[in-house]
């Protein structure tokens, strides 16, 4: 069947929306906001690094560990958490990851010692490693192949670059 003014399209296995309906718009907004937040979380810290270092008593030589502890965990565990999402559920891992990210961000904001901040950044990195593949997987599985998925992935790429 063909598209008729926003009607549904027959994809063989079922009907596929020709446009974003309310549910798909909500899914898209939630996933894009989460992915943008993850991208910003990594880069925004670099701006505040000197002030954070002074406030918590980091030596100049140890200041790098604030960013590195996050980056090592985020990069090192992304593939593992992608597989965990496949085994235990993408949505579940996405939501748990967001909760851990929120709690660890709060802990990092309230940190009163270098050690506490480093531990919080490690958990932020682990949460990012969980949310990133789960979110991308949810994005690709929530939208049917074709223009809707391409639009969703394009918006995701643009927001990740902006972040």
């Amino acid at each position: 069947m063909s598209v008729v003014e926003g009607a549904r399209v027959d994809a063989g296995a079922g009907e596929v929306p020709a446009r974003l309906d309310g549910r798909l718009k909500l899914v898209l907004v939630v996933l894009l906001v989460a992915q943008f937040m993850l991208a910003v979380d990594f880069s925004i810290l670099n701006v505040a690094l000197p002030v954070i270092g002074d406030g918590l008593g980091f030596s100049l030589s140890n200041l790098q560990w604030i960013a590195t502890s996050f980056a090592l965990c985020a990069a090192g565990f992304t593939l593992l958490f992608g597989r965990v999402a496949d085994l235990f559920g993408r949505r579940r891992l996405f939501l748990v990851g967001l909760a851990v990210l929120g709690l660890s961000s709060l802990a990092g904001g309230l940190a009163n010692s270098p050690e506490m901040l480093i531990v919080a950044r490690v958990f932020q990195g682990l949460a990012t490693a969980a949310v990133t593949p789960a979110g991308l997987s949810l994005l690709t599985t929530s939208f049917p192949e074709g223009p809707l998925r391409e639009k969703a992935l394009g918006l995701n790429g643009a927001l990740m670059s902006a972040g």
Side-chain angles (χ1 to χ4, degrees):
M1 295 184 113
S2 64
V3 177
V4 180
E5 292 196 32
R8 297 186 168 268
V9 179
D10 187 358
E15 293 186 356
V16 178
R19 288 193 223 181
L20 291 176
D21 60 12
R23 181 190 161 283
L24 285 179
K25 284 181 183 176
L26 179 63
V27 168
L28 182 62
V29 167
V30 168
L31 293 172
L32 291 180
V33 166
Q35 296 287 20
F36 180 73
M37 184 178 67
L38 294 174
V40 168
D41 185 47
F42 182 73
S43 58
I44 201 166
L45 180 81
N46 293 329
V47 174
L49 214 49
V51 175
I52 293 170
D54 287 342
L56 292 177
F58 271 95
S59 67
L60 190 56
S61 62
N62 288 329
L63 201 57
Q64 69 181 12
W65 285 107
I66 297 172
T68 303
S69 59
F70 173 87
L72 283 173
C73 292
F77 287 95
T78 298
L79 289 176
L80 173 67
F81 280 118
R83 182 66 180 139
V84 169
D86 289 340
L87 294 173
F88 297 105
R90 295 169 183 98
R91 190 179 326 161
R92 181 179 300 155
L93 187 65
F94 181 79
L95 294 173
V96 168
L98 284 180
V100 170
L101 182 65
L103 292 172
S104 59
S105 294
L106 179 63
L110 297 174
N112 55 13
S113 70
E115 295 81 14
M116 187 174 171
L117 180 59
I118 296 295
V119 169
R121 291 298 288 170
V122 165
F123 279 100
Q124 284 176 323
L126 291 171
T128 297
V131 171
T132 300
L136 188 56
S137 181
L138 286 169
L139 195 63
T140 57
T141 58
S142 296
F143 295 90
E145 269 189 66
L148 290 181
R149 185 181 293 175
E150 292 167 6
K151 182 178 185 177
L153 291 173
L155 288 169
N156 183 64
L159 281 177
M160 291 290 284
S161 296

